[in-house]
Amino acid sequence: MALKKLVAGNWKMHGLSADLAEVEAIASEAQRYPAVDVALCVPSILIERAARAVPGFPIGGQDVHHAEKGAHTGCTSALMLLDAGAVLTIVGHSERRDAQRESDAEVKAKATAALSVGLSVILCVGESLDVREQGGAIETVTAQLDRSLPDSLEGEAELAIAYEPIWAIGTGKIPTMPEIAEMHAAIRATLRGRFGAAGEQVRILYGGSVKASNAGEIFGIRDVDGALVGGASLTAADFIPIVAAGAAAS
Ligand code: 13P
């Protein structure tokens, strides 16, 4: 049976107090589509206010430190995210893997730390344009995933995977539908290999230039269980039509 779709927004480094009205609009309009789970991952400093503004609507972080606490200037622990009202967090986004040089081992530690306190996790993987053009995308992404996955899926919190080809992020370019299908099937096989039947329940999101105009086609692909949306998640006007496409494909 198909999994319930998850459409999550990643606001990246966008969002001031004035944008809380947009969070409220998204949370309110998302209620019209109960067939889809909707969430927003906002800058850490906005989490508490966003969570207070939209009680019951899932607000998430965009990164988490793997340690419980300690001398890590500028970092945020899983318990801090939870304490601020987050219920999920992204880990391993390619922008952090690149700019902050995060390794697969670190991403695994972050995912493990978040899940252990009950924060759901969206773990990102994806290949560069070079790797795609050289024909190594499947091998690269499944190896990256294998090294980044937590050892077990025990506990209440949910793990989801986001396949985000780096060259598709913020560029308006997306892979072909057969390329997305092939990658999601490979990710599913990796999850099944690691977690058995539980691997069938892990949602696999596609991310990279998702918009209202392409969401329907992407959501129609087998093993695409939702989307991680950047630029088009910043306003209800752009984001809600993507949620609606998720509902229509459910
Ligand atoms: P865009 O939707 O802006 O391409 O960003 C995708 C992304 O990186 C989401 O995490």
Side-chain angles (χ1 to χ4, degrees):
M1 212 183 81
L3 302 175
K4 187 176 183 183
K5 292 201 182 340
L6 167 62
V7 178
N10 174 9
W11 274 23
K12 307 190 179 183
M13 201 170 74
H14 299 278
L16 299 170
S17 308
D19 300 300
L20 290 168
E22 225 40 75
V23 174
E24 288 172 17
I26 287 168
S28 159
E29 293 181 38
Q31 288 176 2
R32 301 208 312 263
Y33 304 98
V36 180
D37 288 331
V38 183
L40 278 182
C41 296
V42 300
S44 58
I45 199 158
L46 211 57
I47 289 173
E48 182 160 7
R49 281 171 291 159
R52 282 188 201 280
V54 290
F57 178 86
I59 295 292
Q62 300 172 2
D63 177 48
V64 65
H65 197 276
H66 62 81
E68 203 179 305
K69 58 182 163 185
H72 304 288
T73 303
C75 299
T76 307
S77 74
L79 273 180
M80 290 172 184
L81 288 180
L82 208 58
D83 191 45
V87 295
L88 75 153
T89 187
I90 295 169
V91 299
H93 192 282
S94 60
E95 286 154 16
R96 295 197 58 84
R97 288 180 183 265
D98 179 34
Q100 270 73 34
R101 305 250 149 74
E102 286 183 8
S103 66
D104 294 331
E106 253 178 293
V107 173
K108 173 180 177 177
K110 285 167 184 252
T112 304
L115 291 168
S116 76
V117 302
L119 271 184
S120 292
V121 165
I122 299 176
L123 192 166
C124 303
V125 290
E127 83 284 358
S128 66
L129 188 57
D130 268 4
V131 167
R132 168 62 65 183
E133 285 176 349
Q134 285 161 23
I138 298 281
E139 200 184 328
T140 298
V141 170
T142 52
Q144 185 187 38
L145 177 65
D146 204 45
R147 291 189 297 260
S148 304
L149 282 171
D151 289 330
S152 92
L153 293 182
E154 279 158 30
E156 293 294 297
E158 183 197 339
L159 174 72
I161 307 302
Y163 166 55
E164 298 205 310
I166 296 167
W167 52 274
I169 295 175
T171 59
K173 295 181 196 151
I174 59 168
T176 64
M177 298 303 131
E179 283 169 343
I180 297 176
E182 184 188 25
M183 184 62 79
H184 280 238
I187 291 173
R188 178 65 69 210
T190 303
L191 292 168
R192 210 184 291 120
R194 282 289 291 269
F195 303 122
E200 302 280 359
Q201 302 303 314
V202 175
R203 292 190 276 199
I204 308 172
L205 318 182
Y206 169 78
S209 296
V210 176
K211 299 178 175 54
S213 56
N214 58 23
E217 198 179 4
I218 295 170
F219 288 146
I221 300 171
R222 187 188 163 91
D223 280 320
V224 173
D225 308 309
L228 184 57
V229 184
S233 71
L234 294 174
T235 63
D238 286 336
F239 192 48
I240 293 299
I242 298 172
V243 174
S250 297

